[in-house]
Amino acid sequence: MTDLFEKSMETLELPRVLSLLADQAVTEEGKERARRLRPETDPAEVALRLKETTAAVNKMVLRGSPSFSGVKPVAGSLQRADMGGSLNTRELLDIAGVLAAARSAKEYGESDGEEKSPIDVLFHSLHPNRFLEDKITGSIVGDGELADSASPELASIRRHIRATESKVRDILQKIISSSQAKYLQESIITQRSGRYVVPVKSEFKNEIPGLVHDLSGSGSTFFIEPMGVVKANNELRELQAKEEKEIDRILAELSAEAASFREDITLNYELLIRLDSIFARGKLSARMGAMEPGLSAKSLCLRRARHPLLPPKTAVANDLSLGEKFDTLVITGPNTGGKTVTLKTIGLLTLMAQCGLHIPAGDGSTIRVCQRVLADIGDEQSIAQSLSTFSSHMSNIVGMLAETDGETLVLFDELGGGTDPVEGAALAAAIIEHARSLGALVAATTHYAELKVYAMTTPGVENASCEFDVETLAPTYRLLVGIPGKSNAFAISQRLGLPQEIIQQAAARVSAENVRFEDVLTKLDQQRQEMEKEQRQAAQLRLEMEQAAAKAQEYRDSLQKEKEKNEARAKAEARAILDEARRTADEVFRELGDMRKKAQKEQDWQAVNDQRAGLRHRLNEAEDKLGVREKAAPPPMLRPAQKGDTVTILKTGTQGTVLSVNKDGVLQLQAGILRITAKQEEVRVVEGETQTQKAARQYIQRTEHKLRSLGAKAEVDLRGMTTDEAEMTLSQFLDRAIMGNLTQVTVIHGKGTGAVRKAVHTYLKRCKGVASFRLGRYGEGEDGVTIVALK
């Protein structure tokens, strides 16, 4: 990477973006690597970096970012431990921190249910060592202090130390509490040179025999170790020496064990730093609202691109392209209109993508991987080197052209400025042509009208302008590709208050050709604004039509889905009804067969009738499910019924004859053997029957008679019943016989005491359906039965 390329990266402000990237890293090494990040020129490596960033973004969306806290450099410590050195507690805790982070990251990367990504191999390559991690963290606690549990020997030594300290304190406490306390400066126990002492007044120093370890600054206090504690203090010092020796042994053991896993721990550290860098790129992407660009071998195409260092809410997004239809873009327009920002955006986004960073642009954006991005932007005049603005720019351009080839992106700001306009414009066009001939992509800003004409008349070169609102004297920062810009110097000066006569004098000095050219540009700009307005209106109409079409399609889809749902439901219901009907029909046929067999054997007539009723009930239910028994509206009443009329009872569908009509309109009807009452609205007069209707009615009556006869029994046995039971059974029996149109039945009551026979005859006398009754004759059962004739 050449010095000019490095200088161009500074000019395009890549270090500022890398500083933002460093802020997203967690580890110090990750931050430093972010600041040192440089563009990659191998397309395959660039693609890998971008895919890594995308993978980090996707993982963060699902599960957040892995933890890299506690990851600190350990290479030096491991090297010293490998050479036999003993590490201190801080160094060992740093190694444990790397192992803990590796374990956490390994668990993070092993989540199931996610698509494979380029960074999975980094997670899988980690080698956690939970045993060593726990051993270090379990042995070292607090501020670098070893825990008692670090070794059994250390625990034993510390128990003895605590016991000895307690013994020393007890001896000194007795001195403080005894009569000797009057010799003390204060009733306290303190330490000097690691030994327990008491403060004694200088005048009583001989009253407490012992070793003097210190003297106060004023000389009024002697710190004396009484002879009674000398032995205990000596023992304490010995124990403390043993403790230090055991601590050194434990640290050496832990260091040796860490050294045995040096390669794995070093690899873990490198992988964690790399992962930290990748996830820092992912965090920066999320912060900028950026995306992964595509890569192209020939062209650059940016959709809705924003400068990454401008506030996202205020930065204007522009579409930029180079290398597709044209390889050179000449950007014109007034000062402060955004020309330089556009140049920097092209260069900086290219550099960011080659660093593996996502770019703040829209979907469909692509970046060309360049070997060099060279920029001449800004004023670099130097008094010390006697360089003018033109000279400094030209010196920079000479170096750029020397390094330019077919894989270079060249950016010129105010090309040809700082010298005679005619010569400067000619020189600028020649420089652009030379760079194009070398195969480079070129973007340049200028004020020269000659370059606008050059761009309009040269194939492969395109004009662009930064829009400027003359009314507000403010740039809109919109880039308009294909349209040359105006400097708007006269309009701006007039808006700022320059007298009209000065502006007119200036306009008179402008050549007629330049005036015509500016007029053409003005008309082009007006036409552009009108076209853009029409395009916006057309786009709005198209959007509304698309929305209306989408709503209509959605409504059609919903109707179709509802239709399909209803059809499916109807088919399911019909299938269920048909299945039920088949089951019912099968059951009907089976039970009809059973009824026929039972009728032939004349057995269990009551059960036959009950089954027949149940059978009719199930048939009715089946008809209801099939929907064939729809309740039809009753036929209209043609006239009120009169005595002698034949009427149909609506509720039952049976016919009867009107016997009389009461004053309140209630009818007395004779329906077969039954007499019933009904209201006028409950019947309809049968005016007359056709021959077919009469035949159908007679057929129905005969069928009903057969059905009733089939279910009725000709005799009943009351023997063994009480009179009340016999009377109830007889009543039910006679009702079925009458409904079955039987003319004669037999009641078996037996002879016995005659109580049941008497009760039967009493009931028969008051029963309206009985014509006559008599006792049985010889061969019929004689006095044990009663033969009943029915009406």
Side-chain angles (χ1 to χ4, degrees), residues 149-429:
S149 58
S151 75
E153 180 66 19
L154 182 62
S156 175
I157 292 172
R158 286 182 173 175
R159 280 198 306 272
H160 285 88
I161 288 176
R162 288 191 288 270
T164 304
E165 286 179 339
S166 178
K167 179 180 177 181
V168 171
R169 287 181 174 277
D170 289 343
I171 295 172
L172 294 177
Q173 189 64 40
K174 289 179 180 179
I175 295 175
I176 293 174
S177 303
S178 67
S179 59
Q180 293 179 311
K182 60 186 177 180
Y183 304 134
L184 303 179
Q185 193 72 259
E186 292 182 81
S187 298
I188 61 171
I189 301 172
T190 184
Q191 281 186 325
R192 287 294 186 275
S193 301
R195 302 178 74 89
Y196 286 98
V197 297
V198 291
V200 181
K201 296 177 182 178
S202 59
E203 59 268 26
F204 300 116
K205 62 182 179 179
N206 296 322
E207 299 298 327
I208 297 181
L211 302 177
V212 178
H213 285 278
D214 198 4
L215 185 67
S216 67
S218 62
S220 61
T221 302
F222 283 75
F223 294 94
I224 298 176
E225 178 185 3
M227 294 303 297
V229 298
V230 171
K231 183 178 179 181
N233 270 333
N234 289 340
E235 184 180 353
L236 185 61
R237 291 296 296 271
E238 291 177 3
L239 289 171
Q240 290 172 345
K242 288 183 178 180
E243 179 189 25
E244 292 178 2
K245 185 177 180 181
E246 179 63 15
I247 289 174
D248 291 342
R249 187 195 68 79
I250 293 171
L251 293 178
E253 180 182 324
L254 292 174
S255 300
E257 192 156 1
S260 66
F261 295 101
R262 175 185 176 184
E263 292 183 0
D264 287 348
I265 298 172
T266 302
L267 177 62
N268 286 340
Y269 177 78
E270 289 298 327
L271 291 172
L272 290 170
I273 295 301
R274 185 172 175 185
L275 285 170
D276 183 28
S277 301
I278 292 172
F279 277 88
R281 302 203 302 261
K283 294 174 188 175
L284 184 63
S285 174
R287 175 181 171 183
M288 289 184 174
M291 52 76 68
E292 177 189 350
L295 299 181
S296 172
K298 296 181 179 181
S299 62
L300 173 148
C301 180
L302 301 175
R303 308 291 187 190
R304 301 185 301 282
R306 296 177 285 105
H307 194 285
L309 299 177
L310 294 177
K313 294 183 179 179
T314 58
V316 177
N318 284 306
D319 291 343
L320 303 164
S321 62
L322 272 177
E324 292 182 344
K325 298 179 180 179
F326 49 88
D327 56 33
T328 301
L329 191 65
V330 176
I331 307 172
T332 54
N335 290 327
T336 71
K339 300 189 302 297
T340 303
V341 171
T342 301
L343 276 188
K344 287 188 174 182
T345 300
I346 295 173
L348 184 53
L349 295 192
T350 300
L351 294 174
M352 286 176 61
Q354 293 186 212
C355 287
L357 300 175
H358 286 179
I359 61 174
D363 293 337
S365 297
T366 58
I367 291 291
R368 175 183 175 182
V369 178
C370 300
Q371 294 296 316
R372 284 164 296 280
V373 178
L374 304 177
D376 176 54
I377 299 175
D379 189 359
E380 298 185 6
Q381 63 178 337
S382 171
I383 297 176
Q385 298 181 14
S386 301
L387 293 176
S388 66
T389 298
F390 176 77
S391 299
S392 63
H393 277 292
M394 192 52 59
S395 176
N396 201 31
I397 291 171
V398 169
M400 291 169 59
L401 293 177
E403 296 184 12
T404 298
D405 58 17
E407 296 182 335
T408 306
L409 172 62
V410 182
L411 306 173
F412 297 118
D413 188 28
E414 299 296 345
L415 182 60
T419 187
D420 179 76
V422 176
E423 294 180 352
L427 191 59

Side-chain angles (χ1 to χ4, degrees), residues 46 79 117 126 236 249 296 433 552 591 594-595 712 749 764:
V46 174
Q79 183 178 5
S117 69
L126 292 168
L236 185 61
R249 187 195 68 79
S296 172
E433 274 300 308
E591 294 190 5
D594 293 343
M595 289 172 62
H749 44 68
L764 293 175

Side-chain angles (χ1 to χ4, degrees), residues 101 289 308 348 351 429 433 438 546 552 590 595 611 656 666 700 703 723 745 748 751 760 768:
L348 184 53
L351 294 174
E433 274 300 308
L438 296 173
E546 290 175 352
R590 185 176 61 255
M595 289 172 62
Q611 290 179 0
V666 176
I700 292 171
T703 303
T723 54
V745 295
I748 305 172
K751 297 178 180 180
V760 168
K768 296 180 179 180

Side-chain angles (χ1 to χ4, degrees), residues 419-484:
T419 187
D420 179 76
V422 176
E423 294 180 352
L427 191 59
I431 291 172
I432 291 175
E433 274 300 308
H434 181 69
R436 293 186 64 210
S437 68
L438 296 173
L441 295 182
V442 181
T445 66
T446 183
H447 283 286
Y448 294 143
E450 290 82 356
L451 286 183
K452 301 175 188 178
V453 176
Y454 163 76
M456 294 174 67
T457 57
T458 304
V461 183
E462 187 62 84
N463 267 306
S465 61
C466 290
E467 192 177 51
F468 190 86
D469 191 340
V470 180
E471 296 298 324
T472 61
L473 296 182
T476 65
Y477 300 108
R478 287 184 59 210
L479 185 71
L480 307 174
V481 178
I483 300 175

